[in-house]
Amino acid sequence: MPKYPNNISSKLPKVGTTIFTVMSALANEHKAINLSQGFPNFDVNPKLVSLVNQKMKSGLNQYAPMQGVPQLREVLCEKMEKLYGAKYHPDKEINITSGGTQAIYSALTAIVREGDEVIVIEPAYDCYVPAIELNGGISIYVQLKSPHHKIDWNDVKRVMSSHTKVIMINTPHNPMGSVMTADDMKQLEKLVKGTNIIIISDEVYEHIIFDGLKHESVCKYPRLAERSFIIYSFGKTYHATGWKIGYCFAPENLMSEFRKVHQFIVFCSNTPIQYALADYIKECDDYNELSEFYQEKRDFFLKQIKDSRFKFIPASGSYFQLLNYSAITNEKDTDYAIRLTKENGVASIPTSVFYHKPIDNKLLRFCFAKTDDILKKAAEKLCKI
Ligand code: GLN
């Protein structure tokens, strides 16, 4: 087809297809074990599936309220209070979204104007920066400190200015698997005190945290909660990433701006799934068992590869484990991830792609949200290298 109009200048000139799509496609093409894109291969709890089915059969198939169905908003507010002692109003301070990514996009769009600066901690999940740039914002970068991938708050302080509109944080962290501590939260509190800075806190892996660590949500800190959008995802918690459903909490003044944007991005999210989740969560708090479940997975995978040439520090949270391959080759992580997929049959995600200027720490990210047979097979392949 002729290329008309031929004067389009891309709004995202540096952006290609996301690494998750690229690596999953490569894994399929080479029939490799796909530990790249993060998704579980476990079934959704049959009770939840049958609830969705029931809701569909009972005719709940038309638009949901724009904010999300009231029953679901209510159980989620109860959950926030039970887990973190945070009080949110179900009518005014929560919105159901079509996944975490959409919630992040809506929050940024509601807040960021041309020329506003947004502090992004790198490596950063790949939807943050394009969403900032599409809104005319400027990303200001701070890198996590190796080897434990911690935030150096002095670095954050150094880049803060009167133009700083938002600080984005993510705990448990994707792709690094590190978690923020109570001390991190207190430092952040000190930094933003007396400013109008808004926080966007990506907490989609809140229930996947290991070794007795506790999830530090910004909502536990009233001085942070009062200025924060907090993003959650059902996909990670209920093994249902394809349902694309999540939610966002924020104080009323922020949430009302969020809703103005949200209603014209998706209007509302999937109706029967929202009703099903409301009933399920009311009855069942199985999210409390998720950390233990995934810690066993992490430990199983690490035990299988302990004699390989890969080096690692066990992940503290999320369902991703980093492996350092510097004892094997000096190749760029993007090249090695491709070769590992093609020649060794295991697909992973190179971490350098999560930086604005690639920083190659020789770290590949492997998703361990898989049944033991898959993890075992992948580990056997990795051990042969
Ligand atoms: N969150 C998933 C990951 O980090 C990927 C989601 C996606 O493919 N967009 O792997």
Side-chain angles (χ1 to χ4, degrees):
M1 260 202 265
K3 288 194 174 143
Y4 295 111
N6 59 11
N7 60 349
I8 291 175
S9 83
S10 174
K11 291 181 82 174
L12 295 172
K14 286 178 267 163
V15 168
T17 304
T18 93
I19 191 70
F20 308 116
T21 302
V22 170
M23 291 310 297
S24 271
L26 196 72
N28 289 340
E29 187 191 335
H30 294 275
K31 302 201 172 19
I33 299 176
N34 189 3
L35 305 188
S36 64
Q37 189 180 26
F39 60 90
N41 74 336
F42 325 117
D43 283 334
V44 175
N45 187 311
K47 242 199 276 172
L48 180 53
V49 172
S50 91
L51 274 170
V52 174
N53 201 252
Q54 225 173 287
K55 301 296 176 190
M56 285 183 170
K57 283 186 179 154
S58 72
L60 293 165
N61 297 304
Q62 308 310 325
Y63 296 126
M66 183 273 279
Q67 308 88 317
V69 309
Q71 292 89 328
L72 182 57
R73 284 185 273 124
E74 273 157 31
V75 291
L76 292 171
C77 287
E78 283 162 20
K79 181 181 168 191
M80 280 300 257
E81 183 157 13
K82 191 163 80 182
L83 286 184
Y84 306 122
K87 283 201 170 67
Y88 284 92
H89 195 292
D91 293 334
K92 299 182 186 136
E93 299 182 314
I94 174 174
N95 215 98
I96 309 301
T97 64
S98 296
T101 299
Q102 185 246 305
I104 290 166
Y105 191 85
S106 295
L108 282 164
T109 304
I111 291 306
V112 173
R113 291 167 203 254
E114 196 75 33
D116 283 343
E117 294 185 356
V118 179
I119 297 180
V120 174
I121 317 280
E122 286 188 317
Y125 187 62
D126 71 344
C127 78
Y128 300 172
V129 172
I132 294 164
E133 290 180 354
L134 285 170
N135 285 294
I138 300 163
S139 305
I140 304 291
Y141 300 98
V142 167
Q143 278 84 35
L144 289 175
K145 285 271 178 299
S146 293
H148 293 287
H149 317 299
K150 298 281 295 171
I151 297 174
D152 183 332
W153 292 102
N154 286 323
D155 289 351
V156 177
K157 191 173 177 186
R158 225 168 284 135
V159 298
M160 278 169 61
S161 75
S162 56
H163 302 292
T164 307
K165 190 67 169 270
V166 177
I167 298 178
M168 299 198 65
I169 56 171
N170 173 210
T171 182
H173 191 271
N174 180 11
M176 296 323 227
S178 53
V179 302
M180 288 172 68
T181 61
D183 183 59
D184 285 314
M185 293 299 162
K186 282 178 196 137
Q187 301 223 41
L188 177 58
E189 217 169 34
K190 234 192 270 166
L191 278 189
V192 295
K193 192 174 171 199
T195 73
N196 284 320
I197 293 173
I198 289 164
I199 293 162
I200 298 182
S201 185
D202 173 354
E203 303 183 11
V204 298
Y205 296 98
E206 67 175 323
H207 296 305
I208 312 181
I209 183 159
F210 311 131
D211 305 320
L213 293 162
K214 289 267 166 292
H215 175 59
E216 290 297 336
S217 172
V218 290
C219 74
K220 285 169 69 177
Y221 299 84
R223 297 276 84 88
L224 293 177
E226 67 188 11
R227 56 173 82 231
S228 294
F229 291 98
I230 315 177
I231 316 287
Y232 294 108
S233 158
F234 293 111
K236 279 65 175 176
T237 305
Y238 297 107
H239 311 322
T241 59
W243 288 6
K244 289 301 298 176
I245 187 152
Y247 51 107
C248 175
F249 281 103
E252 186 178 351
N253 59 337
L254 294 180
M255 185 48 69
S256 67
E257 292 306 312
F258 181 98
R259 287 179 175 173
K260 288 182 195 174
V261 170
H262 172 84
Q263 64 186 341
F264 297 120
I265 292 182
V266 292
F267 182 66
C268 68
S269 300
N270 185 305
T271 307
I273 293 180
Q274 291 192 54
Y275 282 106
L277 281 165
D279 286 4
Y280 187 81
I281 297 168
K282 209 166 183 63
E283 294 284 295
C284 181
D285 58 2
D286 53 356
Y287 50 79
N288 284 324
E289 292 148 30
L290 205 61
S291 288
E292 194 185 328
F293 171 79
Y294 274 120
Q295 186 166 327
E296 273 173 25
K297 291 273 162 220
R298 179 199 68 175
D299 292 346
F300 179 81
F301 181 57
L302 291 181
K303 194 168 158 213
Q304 306 286 314
I305 58 160
K306 76 174 186 331
D307 296 324
S308 75
R309 292 160 73 199
F310 292 93
K311 301 275 172 288
F312 54 80
I313 298 172
S316 295
S318 82
Y319 45 52
F320 303 114
Q321 175 63 50
L322 298 178
L323 297 183
N324 181 312
Y325 63 86
S326 54
I328 298 170
T329 172
N330 209 7
E331 274 160 281
K332 276 191 351 203
D333 66 347
T334 40
D335 293 341
Y336 188 50
I338 292 171
R339 196 160 71 81
L340 196 64
T341 308
K342 289 186 180 169
E343 294 179 11
N344 305 93
V346 184
S348 60
I349 297 286
T351 53
S352 66
V353 303
F354 299 104
Y355 293 88
H356 72 294
K357 284 190 192 138
I359 295 181
D360 183 3
N361 292 311
K362 312 291 176 209
L363 291 171
L364 299 178
R365 189 199 80 170
F366 294 78
C367 173
F368 55 82
K370 305 292 171 195
T371 43
D372 289 357
D373 57 321
I374 302 284
L375 293 177
K376 191 157 186 266
K377 264 192 228 153
E380 276 163 17
K381 290 175 187 286
L382 296 175
C383 284
K384 281 199 195 122
I385 297 165

